[in-house]
Amino acid sequence: MVNPFGKSEFEGLNPGHFDNYLDDRDYLYTLVHTIDWQSQLLAVRLMLSRNRQAGEAFSKAIDEDAAEIEAYKGPHHDHWSDQHVDMLHESVYRDAAESMAAIGMIAPLVESTLGQSLAALGDMHDRKNISPGDHKRWKRAGDHTARWNCQVYFDSKKEAKSNIILGLPQLAEASGLDQFLPADFMTWFEAMFTYRNFMFHGGFEWALERREFFEKEIEKKGWDQFFTCSKSNDRPWIYYITNEAIDALPTIVEDMLDSLGRFAKSLPSELISDP
């Protein structure tokens, strides 16, 4: 009988050949298939673009206002100058709002994706009764219910601490995920999640000790590529994510997803196969 649809391009291929038709990110569904990363990133890109356009429009209005004041020779110059100062003051908070919105959209996506993926990996190990290795995290955690929770860090006293900034690197190393993530991912992660925590718990204007701490962290860890700030009395006042770092946020998440996919692809068949 003649095949009316012609010869299939998959005919005669071994199962492993299907890898040629999959992107790295597709393998992430081995771990998690309940998150629509593409739609989330599209939404994030749209909002970042809108916020950037609004910010640029306001900056243009400030420049135009400054030009009008310079050209104005009437009796109300002081009044218009004061209004211009108010616009400059407002721009400080507008920029902070843009940074807070950006990290407020990206950080939960990163945290949820990593958290659910590693938790799913833990479930696989538990179901198959396969040991994850002898990393210090496993020795410290024992059979603790949070041993596969990246939001939890296990310290040298074998105590579980709620701290994703320490917990994720520890679990990524213990599970082998760190070998697949971009080399600078953990630097970016620590910087952005420290900023996220300070912004969401301290608002735009942090306590002085937090400003001083963050200033030292930027200098010590090379975070100046990510952040800038407004100053008051020559001291840091309000911190922002740089425009370049904001623009890069979706791409960094995409790279993270690809890395997770490559990690999932590398998992042994006895771990990911159905019982």
Side-chain angles (χ1 to χ4, degrees):
M1 181 176 179
V2 177
N3 181 354
F5 300 105
K7 184 177 179 180
S8 170
E9 61 180 314
F10 299 114
E11 186 176 333
L13 292 182
N14 294 323
H17 290 154
F18 283 102
D19 289 346
N20 297 327
Y21 297 89
L22 297 176
D23 293 327
D24 289 337
R25 200 175 308 173
D26 293 326
Y27 290 92
L28 184 49
Y29 289 100
T30 303
L31 298 173
V32 179
H33 55 80
T34 57
I35 302 176
D36 189 343
W37 302 286
Q38 182 175 355
S39 294
Q40 289 198 47
L41 286 171
L42 284 173
V44 169
R45 289 184 188 278
L46 175 61
M47 292 308 300
L48 291 179
S49 176
R50 288 179 175 177
N51 289 343
R52 178 60 51 78
Q53 290 173 13
E56 290 174 351
F58 193 71
S59 295
K60 181 179 179 181
I62 289 176
D63 292 341
E64 291 174 348
D65 189 69
E68 290 178 2
I69 290 172
E70 185 176 355
Y72 178 72
K73 305 302 181 183
H76 306 295
H77 191 274
D78 289 344
H79 171 72
W80 298 121
S81 294
D82 289 343
Q83 282 197 338
H84 184 70
V85 171
D86 289 342
M87 290 182 71
L88 294 172
H89 188 71
E90 180 182 344
S91 70
V92 172
Y93 294 92
R94 280 176 171 261
D95 291 344
E98 181 179 353
S99 288
M100 192 172 189
I103 197 60
M105 289 184 286
I106 286 294
L109 176 55
V110 171
E111 185 170 353
S112 177
T113 302
L114 291 170
Q116 292 187 53
S117 298
L118 290 166
L121 180 61
D123 288 341
M124 291 178 180
H125 278 278
D126 292 344
R127 288 199 309 270
K128 298 298 183 65
N129 196 27
I130 297 176
S131 171
D134 60 355
H135 188 271
K136 64 182 179 181
R137 180 178 176 98
W138 311 129
K139 296 176 181 178
R140 294 176 180 182
D143 59 356
H144 196 289
T145 57
R147 62 188 179 277
W148 284 94
N149 185 344
C150 69
Q151 297 171 323
V152 175
Y153 171 76
F154 290 92
D155 64 18
S156 58
K157 298 179 180 179
K158 299 184 177 181
E159 295 180 349
K161 304 291 186 181
S162 180
N163 188 329
I164 191 173
I165 294 175
L166 295 177
L168 174 66
Q170 186 185 54
L171 181 52
E173 183 180 285
S175 64
L177 172 61
D178 64 323
Q179 299 176 35
F180 293 84
L181 292 169
D184 56 353
F185 178 81
M186 286 304 177
T187 298
W188 175 89
F189 177 84
E190 181 183 4
M192 289 300 162
F193 273 70
T194 300
Y195 181 77
R196 186 277 302 268
N197 291 346
F198 282 9
M199 286 293 276
F200 279 79
H201 294 291
F204 297 164
E205 298 173 280
W206 307 338
L208 291 177
E209 57 269 21
R210 283 195 172 182
R211 300 179 201 177
E212 293 173 357
F213 171 82
F214 201 72
E215 181 184 30
K216 292 176 182 176
E217 290 292 276
I218 289 175
E219 181 178 354
K220 180 172 62 175
K221 298 180 178 178
W223 292 355
D224 53 315
Q225 60 182 308
F226 304 128
F227 305 108
T228 185
C229 71
S230 292
K231 294 186 176 182
S232 177
N233 296 323
D234 292 325
R235 299 296 303 141
W237 172 28
I238 296 178
Y239 278 97
Y240 320 104
I241 305 175
T242 65
N243 288 340
E244 294 77 12
I246 288 177
D247 292 340
L249 292 177
T251 301
I252 288 173
V253 175
E254 289 176 336
D255 291 343
M256 180 198 77
L257 294 173
D258 291 336
S259 298
L260 275 169
R262 287 190 290 272
F263 173 61
K265 182 180 179 180
S266 75
L267 297 174
S269 58
E270 61 267 25
L271 184 63
I272 63 177
S273 61
D274 293 331

